[in-house]
């Protein structure tokens, strides 16, 4: 009886110990499974969050407006320079207007404004009687000269002085001088015309030609004419008419007074005695 009870207790105790061992063996296997489940969920949730973020970022990238340039960025960018309008640009888009005495008078006033006193500038102002009628752009040189010098045949016969001319035609270049001399044929008659420019002709040669015989008409550039006057190669004592090739324009649509170096020579020529001759009513100026 006692042995039976002992066996039952041992078997009961052994069974309980076996159950505990099996429970302990089951616990570690169950716990990791229990832990892995939330990790899988966590990884799934992270993926979904990342996917949502990328979608939001894509949406933001589409919605973001273009970035405006700051003032600093604008200042660093090179500015496009506007091209200055040249005389050619202005004149090509406008109709040519014939020159008039007021144009010459304003040119003289502007040039001497910072060189002479107010009183001296007043003395330079020319009277209307100092001017011949201006070319209205319908004349050739010969027809214009016939209009302003109707008694030319008589005047040219009376002229006997050497180293001086009766008519002086002032233009911008040597080529233009040759053109104008050709245009004089219908007007000059028996009068002698002389080219007065610097290209290929020495000033000493021109002085000798003026001294050699009577010359009625001088055609040339303001620079060479001024130089001849300074060297006493050309006198103004017989001069009665000064015709300016005012309206003619070169390939760049510039007039004689639009070319800086020619303009400077022209103003020197006026100073050399022509303006004084106009004031004394000995010389008259015409704008061709």
């Amino acid at each position: 009886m006692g042995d039976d009870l002992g066996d039952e207790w041992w078997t009961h105790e052994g069974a309980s110990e076996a159950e505990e061992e099996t429970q302990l063996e089951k616990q570690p296997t169950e716990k990791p499974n229990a832990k892995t489940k939330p990790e899988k969920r966590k990884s799934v949730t992270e993926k979904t969050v990342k996917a949502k973020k990328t979608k939001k970022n894509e949406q933001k990238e589409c919605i973001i407006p273009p970035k405006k340039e700051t003032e600093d960025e604008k200042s660093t960018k090179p500015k496009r320079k506007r091209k200055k309008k040249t005389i050619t640009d202005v004149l090509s888009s406008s109709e040519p207007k014939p020159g008039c005495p007021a144009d010459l008078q304003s040119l003289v006033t502007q040039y001497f404004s910072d060189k002479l006193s107010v009183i001296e500038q007043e003395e330079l102002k020319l009277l209307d009687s100092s001017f011949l009628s201006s070319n209205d752009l319908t004349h050739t040189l010969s027809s214009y000269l016939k209009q302003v010098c109707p008694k030319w045949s008589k005047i040219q016969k009376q002229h006997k002085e050497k180293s001086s001319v009766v008519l002086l035609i002032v233009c911008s270049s040597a080529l233009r001088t040759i053109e104008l001399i050709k245009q004089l044929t219908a007007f000059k008659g028996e009068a002698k015309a002389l080219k007065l420019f610097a290209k290929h002709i020495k000033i000493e040669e021109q002085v000798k030609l003026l001294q050699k015989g009577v010359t009625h008409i001088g055609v040339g550039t303001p620079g060479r004419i001024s130089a001849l006057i300074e060297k006493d190669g050309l006198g103004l004592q017989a001069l009665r008419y000064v015709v300016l090739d005012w309206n003619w324009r070169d390939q760049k649509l510039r007039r004689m007074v639009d070319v800086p170096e020619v303009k400077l020579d022209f103003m020197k020529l006026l100073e050399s005695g022509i303006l004084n001759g106009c004031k004394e009513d000995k010389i008259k100026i015409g704008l061709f």
Side-chain angles (χ1 to χ4, degrees):
M1 187 86 177
D3 291 332
D4 293 332
L5 287 167
D7 291 334
E8 285 177 5
W9 176 83
W10 184 84
T11 53
H12 178 71
E13 191 174 11
S16 62
E17 283 177 1
E19 283 176 5
E20 283 177 5
E21 283 177 5
T22 52
Q23 282 177 1
L24 286 169
E25 283 174 5
K26 282 178 183 179
Q27 278 176 2
T29 54
E30 285 175 0
K31 279 179 184 177
N33 288 333
K35 283 181 183 177
T36 53
K37 282 181 183 178
E39 279 178 7
K40 283 181 183 178
R41 283 179 186 174
K42 191 176 181 182
S43 63
V44 171
T45 52
E46 280 177 1
K47 283 179 183 178
T48 53
V49 168
K50 281 181 182 178
K52 284 178 183 178
K53 279 183 181 179
T54 52
K55 281 183 182 179
K56 282 181 182 179
N57 287 334
E58 285 174 3
Q59 287 176 354
K60 281 180 183 178
E61 284 174 7
C62 296
I63 295 164
I64 289 169
K67 191 181 177 182
K68 289 183 179 180
E69 291 179 354
T70 60
E71 289 182 4
D72 294 332
E73 287 174 347
K74 284 180 182 178
S75 61
T76 53
K77 281 190 174 183
K79 292 180 180 178
R80 287 183 181 178
K81 289 183 179 180
R82 288 184 179 179
K83 285 185 179 179
K84 288 184 179 180
K85 285 188 176 181
T86 60
I87 294 166
T88 308
D89 295 332
V90 174
L91 292 173
S92 61
S93 59
S94 62
E95 291 181 4
K97 292 180 181 179
C100 63
D103 295 333
L104 177 60
Q105 192 67 68
S106 63
L107 181 72
V108 171
T109 306
Q110 185 183 3
Y111 177 78
F112 290 109
S113 61
D114 58 346
K115 295 174 180 66
L116 301 174
S117 65
V118 178
I119 297 167
E120 288 172 328
Q121 286 178 48
E122 285 293 324
E123 290 175 356
L124 286 175
K125 286 186 177 178
L126 300 174
L127 299 172
D128 292 340
S129 59
S130 300
F131 292 95
L132 301 166
S133 60
S134 300
N135 179 20
D136 59 0
L137 305 181
T138 61
H139 285 285
T140 62
L141 181 59
S142 286
S143 67
Y144 173 71
L145 291 173
K146 283 177 181 178
Q147 180 185 333
V148 297
C149 307
K151 297 179 181 179
W152 175 250
S153 59
K154 185 180 178 181
I155 292 166
Q156 62 124 353
K157 283 177 185 177
Q158 290 175 345
H159 177 58
K160 303 293 180 183
E161 291 184 46
K162 294 179 181 180
S163 299
S164 187
V165 295
V166 179
L167 170 61
L168 197 58
I169 301 171
V170 185
C171 59
S172 58
S173 68
L175 287 171
R176 181 62 178 162
T177 299
I178 294 165
E179 285 177 18
L180 291 174
I181 287 175
K182 287 177 182 177
Q183 291 179 30
L184 281 172
T185 308
F187 167 77
K188 72 175 184 175
E190 294 177 1
K192 184 184 177 182
L194 190 63
K195 295 176 284 189
L196 303 176
F197 54 75
K199 196 172 185 180
H200 307 307
I201 304 173
K202 291 180 180 179
I203 193 167
E204 291 80 13
E205 290 176 13
Q206 288 169 339
V207 171
K208 284 178 184 179
L209 286 169
L210 287 163
Q211 289 172 346
K212 189 176 180 181
V214 177
T215 306
H216 303 84
I217 305 169
V219 187
T221 56
R224 177 46 63 91
I225 295 169
S226 296
L228 286 164
I229 293 168
E230 284 176 15
K231 289 200 169 195
D232 295 325
L234 178 65
L236 302 179
Q237 62 273 14
L239 186 63
R240 292 185 64 174
Y241 305 105
V242 175
V243 173
L244 308 176
D245 190 27
W246 187 273
N247 297 302
W248 183 82
R249 299 181 187 276
D250 62 12
Q251 289 181 345
K252 294 181 179 179
L253 300 177
R254 299 175 302 178
R255 300 170 302 171
M256 176 175 64
V257 293
D258 294 326
V259 183
E261 56 272 20
V262 179
K263 178 183 172 182
L264 185 63
D265 290 337
F266 172 63
M267 299 312 294
K268 284 179 181 176
L269 175 60
L270 292 180
E271 276 187 289
S272 65
I274 291 174
L275 288 176
N276 288 334
C278 291
K279 285 196 162 190
E280 293 168 5
D281 203 24
K282 291 179 181 179
I283 300 171
K284 293 190 184 296
I285 297 175
L287 276 64
F288 170 64

